[in-house]
Amino acid sequence: MINVKSKEIYLDHSATTYLDPRVKKQMDKYFCEEFGNPGSFNTIGLRAKKAIAKARNGIANILGAKPNEIVFTGTGTESVNLAIKGVVRANKDKGKHIITTTIEHHAVLDTCEYLEKYEGFKVTYLEVDKYGSVTPEQVEKAIRKDTVLISVMYANNEIGTIEPIKEIGKIAKKHKVLFHTDACQAGCSQDLNVNNLNVDLMTLNGSKIYGPKGTGMLYIRKGVRIQPIIHGGGQERGLRSGTENVPGIVGLAKALELCQKEKEKENQRLIKLRDKLIKEITSKIPKTFLNGHPTKRLPNNANITILDIEGEAIMLYMNKYGICASSGSACTSKTLDPSHVIMAIGLPYEAAHGSIRFSIGSRTTEKDIDKVIKVLPGIVENLREISPVNLELEDVLEKVIK
Amino acid sequence: MTKKPTYADVKTKGGKGWFYTDVVKEHFFKPRNLLRTEEEAKKYKADGVGIVGSPACGDMMKMWIKVDPKTERIKECKWQTFGCASAIASTSMLSMMVTEKGGMKLDKALQIKPQDIVKRLVDLPPRKFHCSVLGDKALREAINDYFKKTRKEHRIVKQGAKVIDKQLNVTDKDIEEAVLDGATTFEDVQKKTKIGVHDKSCIPEAEQLIRFYREKYFGPD
Ligand SMILES: Cc1ncc(COP(=O)(O)O)c(C=O)c1O
């Protein structure tokens, strides 16, 4: 066995990213010097207010929106909660039906479940195909007279599949149903123009785009009826009370600006690395396959199932070599079930425990990828040797194909 | 005084209390008494074999034992698993416990509880307790297999499940599983198993079992 203790290789960018130093530089001044409360009528406060206005303008430009259509929140989760609870509660008179998918982040799923359980809303959870995609036709079929909101994620955080947001947006528009997309995983690499995308609401956060954690925003198209979920001092046009996180907002805006500006070049670089990782692993290690869509996927995501062994064990071994990835196995989840996304794409239970997610990012180099390719086959072989399980790849794939 | 556990730097996602002790790490990375590869397993001449779990539930364990017929002590205890770090580490520890000091007597080995293994591992995060129970189950199966092979069927310890909720067919095993999954109250167990939703008459017995399993696995309150 190899015994190396070298530097850590971070391949968990979908969980969170480091701060881009340029973002940090932009934020620095707003901690000790420009610390003002944007709500105060004094020069220090006014300068803070200006900083927020500038951030809001910058983001609005990127999204093709108006500044007063942007609301800053505390996290992606909070934005999702505001979007869903805020909209459906404010539009109760029109109906109480929501459409979403089975592979959303828990921020969406648990919010919908809450509304079903405590506030009498009805929710349709659209099933995905084996690649994790929903179709606009599925959405259209699910629309009812009382549907008030459709919420479909832009890109999935576990398997990286990109959903047809633009087309779903068209359907929503045609039927005059409001459309929210959770774009937390898409912020760095995808087009965020709300008019191209036909979205009425869009969630973004800082933690996945080399911005600060604990920051989020919600785009709310003008005219959308929405209620706050947090009440108090009336900041953010009454939609999100609480003194604004000025450095966070400045950082979020800068992070979005930078990654959107650099996305074409960076996407190309990441796709090359991603595809190398996928190709090498699935060809070098027997009984492995890619999860998620082969092409309609995030440039930074490679989610791979490795049969006969358990994900947490693989992950911890990789961690020993400094490689930090994540797993959809039951043993890394809060419930004792394998990830709901892995189950939703139809993987049978016996295969669902062995999925590993590599999510690469701006600091990832080809050397890092080579390191994974070098150590992973040995780890897998070692764990397979001590495993009494020996599944046939064909049997498993047959079960996946629906 | 109890020794304060030292926690290793390996951690998985999902947050709180997810660290493993150094002993767990040690056994995970260097598991003892393994049978490596299918060939080695096929060649191994065991006196008793036990298999429990399935890959579908995330854990599967196979265990082989060799027994000294005169002393009834376990001479060798080999295993293979499809499982996470906790499953690997706890089985490795179990295999060591039953073979050290000249080997454990079968009767004593049958009494081993997951709690005893966890104690030797210094600690496991409560949520990972669940992953440590297959080892001792597989061991009991292997010992029973030995009894069968040596014509001592009368000594086989049955682990059959008993139906508690007759309407929904919820068994004592289901309650045990629920407790291992972290349920501590009747309401928790009901959420997981639906026990007592219709058949209210079973509630007292269910509550008693919950107390029993809580004490068995997590010690007195
Ligand atoms: C798709 C998606 N939605 C929502 C969130 C929640 O974001 P936050 O952690 O900022 O609340 C995340 C991140 O975990 C995510 O990946």
Side-chain angles (χ1 to χ4, degrees), chain A residues 308-310 312-313 315-317 320 327 331-336 349-350 353 382-383 385-390, chain B residues 10 12-13 18 20 28-29 34-38 55-58 60 80-85 127-128 131 181:
Chain A
D308 299 342
I309 51 181
E310 201 273 341
E312 191 212 41
M315 228 177 59
L316 292 178
Y317 262 103
K320 201 182 172 195
S327 156
C331 271
T332 56
S333 76
K334 287 196 194 97
T335 61
L336 282 155
Y349 263 99
E350 59 268 32
H353 294 278
N382 184 35
L383 286 168
E385 267 182 20
I386 69 167
S387 168
V389 179
N390 193 355
Chain B
V10 274
T12 58
K13 81 166 191 186
W18 266 84
Y20 289 120
F28 171 59
F29 286 124
L34 275 169
L35 280 187
R36 286 194 178 266
T37 74
E38 237 177 301
C57 41
M60 180 174 172
Q80 287 189 341
T81 189
F82 169 99
C84 62
R127 284 200 48 259
K128 304 289 293 181
C131 314
D181 272 4

CSV table of all heavy atoms in Angstrom, one decimal, chain A residues 308-310 312-313 315-317 320 327 331-336 349-350 353 382-383 385-390, chain B residues 10 12-13 18 20 28-29 34-38 55-58 60 80-85 127-128 131 181:
chain,number,residue,atom,x,y,z
A,308,ASP,N,-19.9,-2.9,-5.8
A,308,ASP,CA,-19.4,-3.9,-4.8
A,308,ASP,C,-18.8,-3.3,-3.5
A,308,ASP,O,-18.4,-4.0,-2.6
A,308,ASP,CB,-18.4,-4.9,-5.4
A,308,ASP,CG,-19.0,-5.7,-6.5
A,308,ASP,OD1,-20.2,-5.8,-6.6
A,308,ASP,OD2,-18.2,-6.2,-7.3
A,309,ILE,N,-18.6,-2.0,-3.5
A,309,ILE,CA,-18.0,-1.4,-2.3
A,309,ILE,C,-18.8,-0.2,-1.8
A,309,ILE,O,-19.6,0.4,-2.6
A,309,ILE,CB,-16.5,-1.1,-2.4
A,309,ILE,CG1,-16.3,-0.3,-3.7
A,309,ILE,CG2,-15.7,-2.4,-2.5
A,309,ILE,CD1,-14.8,0.1,-3.9
A,310,GLU,N,-18.5,0.3,-0.6
A,310,GLU,CA,-19.3,1.3,0.0
A,310,GLU,C,-18.7,2.7,-0.1
A,310,GLU,O,-17.5,2.8,0.1
A,310,GLU,CB,-19.6,0.9,1.4
A,310,GLU,CG,-20.7,1.5,2.1
A,310,GLU,CD,-20.4,2.8,2.7
A,310,GLU,OE1,-19.2,3.1,2.9
A,310,GLU,OE2,-21.3,3.6,3.0
A,312,GLU,N,-18.6,5.5,1.6
A,312,GLU,CA,-17.9,6.2,2.7
A,312,GLU,C,-16.5,5.6,2.9
A,312,GLU,O,-15.5,6.3,3.1
A,312,GLU,CB,-18.6,6.0,4.1
A,312,GLU,CG,-18.1,6.9,5.1
A,312,GLU,CD,-18.2,6.4,6.5
A,312,GLU,OE1,-18.0,5.1,6.7
A,312,GLU,OE2,-18.5,7.1,7.4
A,313,ALA,N,-16.4,4.3,2.7
A,313,ALA,CA,-15.1,3.7,2.9
A,313,ALA,C,-14.1,4.2,1.8
A,313,ALA,O,-13.0,4.5,2.0
A,313,ALA,CB,-15.2,2.1,2.8
A,315,MET,N,-14.3,7.0,0.2
A,315,MET,CA,-14.0,8.4,0.5
A,315,MET,C,-12.9,8.6,1.6
A,315,MET,O,-12.0,9.4,1.4
A,315,MET,CB,-15.3,9.0,1.0
A,315,MET,CG,-15.6,10.3,0.3
A,315,MET,SD,-17.1,10.9,0.9
A,315,MET,CE,-16.8,11.0,2.7
A,316,LEU,N,-13.1,7.8,2.6
A,316,LEU,CA,-12.1,7.9,3.7
A,316,LEU,C,-10.7,7.4,3.3
A,316,LEU,O,-9.7,8.0,3.7
A,316,LEU,CB,-12.5,7.1,4.9
A,316,LEU,CG,-13.8,7.7,5.6
A,316,LEU,CD1,-14.2,6.8,6.8
A,316,LEU,CD2,-13.5,9.1,6.1
A,317,TYR,N,-10.7,6.4,2.4
A,317,TYR,CA,-9.4,6.0,1.9
A,317,TYR,C,-8.8,7.1,1.0
A,317,TYR,O,-7.6,7.4,1.1
A,317,TYR,CB,-9.5,4.7,1.1
A,317,TYR,CG,-9.1,3.5,1.9
A,317,TYR,CD1,-10.1,2.6,2.5
A,317,TYR,CD2,-7.8,3.2,2.2
A,317,TYR,CE1,-9.7,1.5,3.2
A,317,TYR,CE2,-7.4,2.1,2.9
A,317,TYR,CZ,-8.4,1.3,3.5
A,317,TYR,OH,-8.1,0.2,4.2
A,320,LYS,N,-7.3,9.7,2.9
A,320,LYS,CA,-5.9,9.4,3.5
A,320,LYS,C,-4.8,9.9,2.5
A,320,LYS,O,-3.7,10.2,2.9
A,320,LYS,CB,-5.9,7.9,3.6
A,320,LYS,CG,-4.8,7.4,4.6
A,320,LYS,CD,-4.7,5.9,4.7
A,320,LYS,CE,-3.5,5.5,5.5
A,320,LYS,NZ,-3.2,4.1,5.3
A,327,SER,N,-19.6,11.5,-1.0
A,327,SER,CA,-20.3,10.3,-1.4
A,327,SER,C,-21.8,10.4,-1.1
A,327,SER,O,-22.2,11.1,-0.2
A,327,SER,CB,-19.7,9.1,-0.6
A,327,SER,OG,-20.6,8.1,-0.5
A,331,CYS,N,-24.1,6.0,4.5
A,331,CYS,CA,-23.3,6.3,5.7
A,331,CYS,C,-22.8,7.7,5.8
A,331,CYS,O,-22.2,8.1,6.7
A,331,CYS,CB,-22.2,5.3,5.8
A,331,CYS,SG,-22.7,3.9,6.7
A,332,THR,N,-23.1,8.5,4.7
A,332,THR,CA,-22.7,9.9,4.8
A,332,THR,C,-23.9,10.7,4.8
A,332,THR,O,-23.8,12.0,4.8
A,332,THR,CB,-21.8,10.3,3.6
A,332,THR,OG1,-22.5,10.0,2.4
A,332,THR,CG2,-20.5,9.5,3.7
A,333,SER,N,-25.1,10.2,4.8
A,333,SER,CA,-26.3,11.0,4.8
A,333,SER,C,-26.9,11.0,6.2
A,333,SER,O,-26.5,10.3,7.1
A,333,SER,CB,-27.3,10.4,3.8
A,333,SER,OG,-27.9,9.2,4.4
A,334,LYS,N,-27.8,11.9,6.4
A,334,LYS,CA,-28.4,12.1,7.7
A,334,LYS,C,-29.4,11.0,8.0
A,334,LYS,O,-29.6,10.6,9.2
A,334,LYS,CB,-29.1,13.5,7.8
A,334,LYS,CG,-28.0,14.6,7.9
A,334,LYS,CD,-28.6,15.9,8.4
A,334,LYS,CE,-27.6,17.0,8.1
A,334,LYS,NZ,-27.9,17.8,6.9
A,335,THR,N,-30.1,10.6,7.0
A,335,THR,CA,-31.0,9.5,7.2
A,335,THR,C,-30.2,8.2,7.0
A,335,THR,O,-29.0,8.4,6.8
A,335,THR,CB,-32.1,9.5,6.2
A,335,THR,OG1,-31.5,9.3,4.9
A,335,THR,CG2,-32.9,10.8,6.2
A,336,LEU,N,-30.6,7.0,7.1
A,336,LEU,CA,-29.7,6.0,6.8
A,336,LEU,C,-29.9,5.4,5.4
A,336,LEU,O,-29.6,4.3,5.0
A,336,LEU,CB,-29.8,4.9,7.8
A,336,LEU,CG,-29.0,5.3,9.1
A,336,LEU,CD1,-29.5,4.6,10.3
A,336,LEU,CD2,-27.5,5.1,9.0
A,349,TYR,N,-30.8,-0.3,-5.0
A,349,TYR,CA,-30.2,-0.1,-3.7
A,349,TYR,C,-28.8,-0.6,-3.6
A,349,TYR,O,-27.9,0.0,-3.1
A,349,TYR,CB,-31.0,-0.8,-2.6
A,349,TYR,CG,-32.0,0.1,-1.9
A,349,TYR,CD1,-33.3,0.2,-2.3
A,349,TYR,CD2,-31.5,0.9,-0.9
A,349,TYR,CE1,-34.2,1.0,-1.6
A,349,TYR,CE2,-32.4,1.8,-0.2
A,349,TYR,CZ,-33.7,1.8,-0.6
A,349,TYR,OH,-34.6,2.6,0.1
A,350,GLU,N,-28.6,-1.8,-4.2
A,350,GLU,CA,-27.2,-2.4,-4.0
A,350,GLU,C,-26.1,-1.7,-4.7
A,350,GLU,O,-25.0,-1.8,-4.4
A,350,GLU,CB,-27.3,-3.9,-4.5
A,350,GLU,CG,-27.7,-4.1,-5.9
A,350,GLU,CD,-29.2,-4.4,-6.1
A,350,GLU,OE1,-29.9,-3.8,-5.3
A,350,GLU,OE2,-29.5,-5.1,-7.0
A,353,HIS,N,-25.1,2.6,-2.9
A,353,HIS,CA,-24.2,2.9,-1.8
A,353,HIS,C,-22.8,3.3,-2.2
A,353,HIS,O,-22.0,3.7,-1.4
A,353,HIS,CB,-24.2,1.8,-0.8
A,353,HIS,CG,-25.5,1.5,-0.1
A,353,HIS,ND1,-25.9,2.3,1.0
A,353,HIS,CD2,-26.5,0.7,-0.4
A,353,HIS,CE1,-27.1,1.9,1.4
A,353,HIS,NE2,-27.5,0.9,0.5
A,382,ASN,N,-8.5,-2.8,-3.3
A,382,ASN,CA,-8.3,-3.2,-1.9
A,382,ASN,C,-9.7,-3.5,-1.2
A,382,ASN,O,-9.9,-4.5,-0.5
A,382,ASN,CB,-7.5,-2.1,-1.2
A,382,ASN,CG,-7.2,-2.4,0.3
A,382,ASN,OD1,-7.0,-3.6,0.6
A,382,ASN,ND2,-7.3,-1.4,1.1
A,383,LEU,N,-10.6,-2.5,-1.4
A,383,LEU,CA,-11.9,-2.7,-0.8
A,383,LEU,C,-12.7,-3.8,-1.4
A,383,LEU,O,-13.5,-4.5,-0.8
A,383,LEU,CB,-12.7,-1.4,-0.8
A,383,LEU,CG,-12.2,-0.3,0.1
A,383,LEU,CD1,-12.8,1.0,-0.2
A,383,LEU,CD2,-12.5,-0.7,1.6
A,385,GLU,N,-11.4,-6.5,-2.6
A,385,GLU,CA,-10.9,-7.8,-2.1
A,385,GLU,C,-11.5,-8.2,-0.8
A,385,GLU,O,-11.7,-9.4,-0.5
A,385,GLU,CB,-9.4,-7.6,-1.8
A,385,GLU,CG,-8.5,-8.0,-3.0
A,385,GLU,CD,-7.0,-7.9,-2.7
A,385,GLU,OE1,-6.7,-7.8,-1.5
A,385,GLU,OE2,-6.3,-7.8,-3.6
A,386,ILE,N,-11.9,-7.3,0.0
A,386,ILE,CA,-12.5,-7.6,1.3
A,386,ILE,C,-14.0,-7.6,1.3
A,386,ILE,O,-14.6,-7.7,2.3
A,386,ILE,CB,-11.9,-6.7,2.5
A,386,ILE,CG1,-12.5,-5.3,2.3
A,386,ILE,CG2,-10.4,-6.7,2.5
A,386,ILE,CD1,-12.2,-4.5,3.6
A,387,SER,N,-14.6,-7.5,0.1
A,387,SER,CA,-16.0,-7.4,0.0
A,387,SER,C,-16.6,-8.8,-0.5
A,387,SER,O,-16.1,-9.3,-1.4
A,387,SER,CB,-16.4,-6.3,-1.0
A,387,SER,OG,-17.8,-6.5,-1.3
A,388,PRO,N,-17.6,-9.2,0.2
A,388,PRO,CA,-18.2,-10.5,-0.2
A,388,PRO,C,-19.2,-10.3,-1.4
A,388,PRO,O,-19.7,-11.3,-1.8
A,388,PRO,CB,-18.9,-11.0,1.0
A,388,PRO,CG,-19.3,-9.7,1.8
A,388,PRO,CD,-18.2,-8.7,1.4
A,389,VAL,N,-19.3,-9.1,-1.8
A,389,VAL,CA,-20.3,-8.8,-2.9
A,389,VAL,C,-19.6,-8.8,-4.2
A,389,VAL,O,-18.5,-8.4,-4.4
A,389,VAL,CB,-21.0,-7.4,-2.6
A,389,VAL,CG1,-22.0,-7.1,-3.7
A,389,VAL,CG2,-21.6,-7.4,-1.3
A,390,ASN,N,-20.3,-9.4,-5.2
A,390,ASN,CA,-19.8,-9.4,-6.6
A,390,ASN,C,-20.9,-9.3,-7.6
A,390,ASN,O,-21.4,-10.2,-8.1
A,390,ASN,CB,-19.0,-10.7,-6.8
A,390,ASN,CG,-18.2,-10.7,-8.0
A,390,ASN,OD1,-18.2,-9.7,-8.8
A,390,ASN,ND2,-17.4,-11.7,-8.2
B,10,VAL,N,-10.1,12.0,10.2
B,10,VAL,CA,-11.0,11.6,9.1
B,10,VAL,C,-12.5,12.0,9.5
B,10,VAL,O,-12.9,11.7,10.6
B,10,VAL,CB,-10.9,10.1,8.7
B,10,VAL,CG1,-9.8,9.9,7.8
B,10,VAL,CG2,-10.8,9.3,10.0
B,12,THR,N,-16.5,12.7,7.6
B,12,THR,CA,-17.4,12.7,6.4
B,12,THR,C,-18.3,13.8,6.4
B,12,THR,O,-18.5,14.5,7.4
B,12,THR,CB,-18.2,11.4,6.3
B,12,THR,OG1,-19.0,11.3,7.4
B,12,THR,CG2,-17.3,10.2,6.2
B,13,LYS,N,-18.9,14.1,5.3
B,13,LYS,CA,-19.8,15.2,5.2
B,13,LYS,C,-21.1,14.9,6.0
B,13,LYS,O,-21.3,13.8,6.4
B,13,LYS,CB,-20.1,15.6,3.8
B,13,LYS,CG,-21.2,14.7,3.2
B,13,LYS,CD,-21.7,15.4,1.9
B,13,LYS,CE,-23.0,14.6,1.5
B,13,LYS,NZ,-23.5,15.0,0.2
B,18,TRP,N,-19.1,13.7,13.7
B,18,TRP,CA,-18.9,12.7,12.7
B,18,TRP,C,-17.4,12.2,12.7
B,18,TRP,O,-16.9,11.7,11.7
B,18,TRP,CB,-19.2,13.3,11.3
B,18,TRP,CG,-20.6,12.9,10.9
B,18,TRP,CD1,-21.7,13.5,11.3
B,18,TRP,CD2,-21.0,11.8,10.2
B,18,TRP,NE1,-22.8,12.9,10.8
B,18,TRP,CE2,-22.4,11.8,10.1
B,18,TRP,CE3,-20.3,10.7,9.5
B,18,TRP,CZ2,-23.1,10.8,9.4
B,18,TRP,CZ3,-21.0,9.8,8.8
B,18,TRP,CH2,-22.4,9.8,8.8
B,20,TYR,N,-14.1,10.0,13.8
B,20,TYR,CA,-13.9,8.7,14.3
B,20,TYR,C,-12.7,8.7,15.2
B,20,TYR,O,-11.8,9.5,15.1
B,20,TYR,CB,-13.5,7.8,13.1
B,20,TYR,CG,-14.7,7.4,12.3
B,20,TYR,CD1,-14.7,7.8,10.9
B,20,TYR,CD2,-15.8,6.8,12.8
B,20,TYR,CE1,-15.9,7.5,10.1
B,20,TYR,CE2,-16.9,6.5,12.1
B,20,TYR,CZ,-16.9,6.8,10.7
B,20,TYR,OH,-18.0,6.5,10.0
B,28,PHE,N,-9.8,0.6,10.6
B,28,PHE,CA,-10.4,0.8,9.3
B,28,PHE,C,-9.3,0.7,8.3
B,28,PHE,O,-9.4,0.0,7.2
B,28,PHE,CB,-11.1,2.1,9.2
B,28,PHE,CG,-11.5,2.5,7.8
B,28,PHE,CD1,-12.3,1.7,7.1
B,28,PHE,CD2,-11.0,3.7,7.2
B,28,PHE,CE1,-12.7,2.1,5.8
B,28,PHE,CE2,-11.3,4.0,5.9
B,28,PHE,CZ,-12.2,3.2,5.2
B,29,PHE,N,-8.2,1.3,8.5
B,29,PHE,CA,-7.1,1.3,7.5
B,29,PHE,C,-6.3,0.0,7.6
B,29,PHE,O,-5.7,-0.4,6.6
B,29,PHE,CB,-6.2,2.5,7.7
B,29,PHE,CG,-6.8,3.8,7.2
B,29,PHE,CD1,-7.0,4.9,8.0
B,29,PHE,CD2,-7.3,3.9,5.9
B,29,PHE,CE1,-7.6,6.1,7.6
B,29,PHE,CE2,-7.9,5.0,5.4
B,29,PHE,CZ,-8.0,6.1,6.3
B,34,LEU,N,-8.7,-10.5,8.0
B,34,LEU,CA,-9.5,-10.5,6.8
B,34,LEU,C,-9.2,-11.7,6.0
B,34,LEU,O,-8.1,-12.3,6.0
B,34,LEU,CB,-9.2,-9.3,5.9
B,34,LEU,CG,-9.9,-8.0,6.2
B,34,LEU,CD1,-9.2,-6.9,5.5
B,34,LEU,CD2,-11.3,-8.1,5.8
B,35,LEU,N,-10.2,-12.2,5.2
B,35,LEU,CA,-9.9,-13.1,4.1
B,35,LEU,C,-9.9,-12.2,2.9
B,35,LEU,O,-11.0,-11.7,2.5
B,35,LEU,CB,-11.0,-14.2,4.0
B,35,LEU,CG,-10.9,-15.3,5.0
B,35,LEU,CD1,-11.9,-16.4,4.6
B,35,LEU,CD2,-9.5,-15.9,5.0
B,36,ARG,N,-8.8,-12.1,2.2
B,36,ARG,CA,-8.8,-11.2,1.0
B,36,ARG,C,-9.1,-12.1,-0.2
B,36,ARG,O,-8.6,-13.2,-0.3
B,36,ARG,CB,-7.4,-10.6,0.9
B,36,ARG,CG,-7.2,-9.5,1.9
B,36,ARG,CD,-6.0,-8.6,1.5
B,36,ARG,NE,-5.9,-7.6,2.5
B,36,ARG,CZ,-6.5,-6.4,2.4
B,36,ARG,NH1,-7.1,-6.1,1.3
B,36,ARG,NH2,-6.4,-5.5,3.3
B,37,THR,N,-9.8,-11.5,-1.1
B,37,THR,CA,-10.2,-12.1,-2.4
B,37,THR,C,-11.1,-13.4,-2.2
B,37,THR,O,-11.1,-14.0,-1.2
B,37,THR,CB,-9.0,-12.5,-3.3
B,37,THR,OG1,-8.4,-13.7,-2.7
B,37,THR,CG2,-8.0,-11.4,-3.4
B,38,GLU,N,-11.9,-13.6,-3.3
B,38,GLU,CA,-12.8,-14.7,-3.3
B,38,GLU,C,-12.1,-16.1,-3.2
B,38,GLU,O,-12.5,-17.0,-2.6
B,38,GLU,CB,-13.6,-14.7,-4.6
B,38,GLU,CG,-15.1,-14.6,-4.4
B,38,GLU,CD,-15.8,-14.5,-5.8
B,38,GLU,OE1,-15.5,-13.5,-6.5
B,38,GLU,OE2,-16.6,-15.4,-6.1
B,55,PRO,N,-26.1,-6.3,0.2
B,55,PRO,CA,-25.6,-5.0,-0.3
B,55,PRO,C,-26.7,-3.9,-0.4
B,55,PRO,O,-26.5,-2.7,-0.3
B,55,PRO,CB,-25.0,-5.3,-1.6
B,55,PRO,CG,-25.4,-6.7,-1.9
B,55,PRO,CD,-25.8,-7.4,-0.7
B,56,ALA,N,-27.9,-4.4,-0.6
B,56,ALA,CA,-29.1,-3.5,-0.8
B,56,ALA,C,-29.3,-2.6,0.5
B,56,ALA,O,-29.7,-1.5,0.4
B,56,ALA,CB,-30.3,-4.2,-1.1
B,57,CYS,N,-29.0,-3.1,1.7
B,57,CYS,CA,-29.2,-2.3,2.8
B,57,CYS,C,-27.9,-1.6,3.2
B,57,CYS,O,-27.8,-1.0,4.3
B,57,CYS,CB,-29.8,-3.1,4.0
B,57,CYS,SG,-29.2,-4.7,4.3
B,58,GLY,N,-26.9,-1.7,2.4
B,58,GLY,CA,-25.7,-0.9,2.6
B,58,GLY,C,-24.6,-1.7,3.4
B,58,GLY,O,-23.5,-1.2,3.5
B,60,MET,N,-23.1,-5.8,4.3
B,60,MET,CA,-23.2,-7.2,4.2
B,60,MET,C,-22.0,-7.8,4.8
B,60,MET,O,-20.9,-7.2,4.7
B,60,MET,CB,-23.3,-7.6,2.7
B,60,MET,CG,-23.4,-9.1,2.6
B,60,MET,SD,-23.6,-9.5,0.9
B,60,MET,CE,-23.4,-11.3,0.9
B,80,GLN,N,-15.3,-10.9,5.8
B,80,GLN,CA,-15.3,-10.0,4.6
B,80,GLN,C,-16.5,-9.1,4.8
B,80,GLN,O,-17.5,-9.5,5.3
B,80,GLN,CB,-15.4,-10.7,3.3
B,80,GLN,CG,-14.2,-11.5,2.9
B,80,GLN,CD,-14.3,-12.0,1.5
B,80,GLN,OE1,-15.4,-12.2,0.9
B,80,GLN,NE2,-13.1,-12.4,0.9
B,81,THR,N,-16.4,-7.9,4.3
B,81,THR,CA,-17.6,-7.0,4.4
B,81,THR,C,-17.7,-6.0,3.2
B,81,THR,O,-16.8,-5.6,2.6
B,81,THR,CB,-17.7,-6.2,5.7
B,81,THR,OG1,-18.9,-5.6,5.8
B,81,THR,CG2,-16.6,-5.1,5.7
B,82,PHE,N,-19.0,-5.8,2.9
B,82,PHE,CA,-19.3,-4.6,2.1
B,82,PHE,C,-19.9,-3.6,3.1
B,82,PHE,O,-21.0,-3.7,3.5
B,82,PHE,CB,-20.4,-5.0,1.1
B,82,PHE,CG,-21.1,-3.9,0.3
B,82,PHE,CD1,-20.7,-3.6,-1.0
B,82,PHE,CD2,-22.1,-3.2,0.9
B,82,PHE,CE1,-21.3,-2.6,-1.7
B,82,PHE,CE2,-22.7,-2.1,0.2
B,82,PHE,CZ,-22.3,-1.8,-1.1
B,83,GLY,N,-19.1,-2.7,3.5
B,83,GLY,CA,-19.6,-1.8,4.5
B,83,GLY,C,-18.7,-0.6,4.6
B,83,GLY,O,-17.6,-0.5,4.0
B,84,CYS,N,-19.2,0.4,5.5
B,84,CYS,CA,-18.5,1.6,5.6
B,84,CYS,C,-17.4,1.5,6.7
B,84,CYS,O,-17.1,0.4,7.2
B,84,CYS,CB,-19.5,2.7,6.1
B,84,CYS,SG,-20.2,2.2,7.7
B,85,ALA,N,-16.8,2.6,7.0
B,85,ALA,CA,-15.7,2.6,8.0
B,85,ALA,C,-16.1,1.9,9.3
B,85,ALA,O,-15.3,1.1,9.8
B,85,ALA,CB,-15.2,4.0,8.2
B,127,ARG,N,-24.8,7.9,15.5
B,127,ARG,CA,-25.5,7.6,14.3
B,127,ARG,C,-24.8,6.4,13.5
B,127,ARG,O,-25.4,5.8,12.7
B,127,ARG,CB,-25.5,8.8,13.3
B,127,ARG,CG,-26.4,9.8,13.7
B,127,ARG,CD,-26.7,10.7,12.5
B,127,ARG,NE,-27.0,9.9,11.3
B,127,ARG,CZ,-26.2,9.7,10.4
B,127,ARG,NH1,-25.0,10.2,10.4
B,127,ARG,NH2,-26.6,9.0,9.3
B,128,LYS,N,-23.6,6.1,13.9
B,128,LYS,CA,-22.9,5.0,13.2
B,128,LYS,C,-23.0,3.7,13.9
B,128,LYS,O,-22.5,2.7,13.4
B,128,LYS,CB,-21.4,5.4,13.0
B,128,LYS,CG,-21.2,6.8,12.3
B,128,LYS,CD,-21.5,6.7,10.9
B,128,LYS,CE,-20.5,5.8,10.1
B,128,LYS,NZ,-20.8,5.7,8.7
B,131,CYS,N,-24.1,0.7,12.0
B,131,CYS,CA,-23.2,0.0,11.1
B,131,CYS,C,-22.4,-1.0,11.8
B,131,CYS,O,-21.7,-1.8,11.2
B,131,CYS,CB,-22.3,1.0,10.4
B,131,CYS,SG,-23.1,2.5,9.8
B,181,ASP,N,-31.3,2.9,14.8
B,181,ASP,CA,-31.4,4.1,13.9
B,181,ASP,C,-31.4,5.4,14.6
B,181,ASP,O,-31.4,6.5,14.0
B,181,ASP,CB,-32.6,4.0,12.9
B,181,ASP,CG,-32.3,3.2,11.7
B,181,ASP,OD1,-31.1,2.7,11.6
B,181,ASP,OD2,-33.1,3.1,10.8
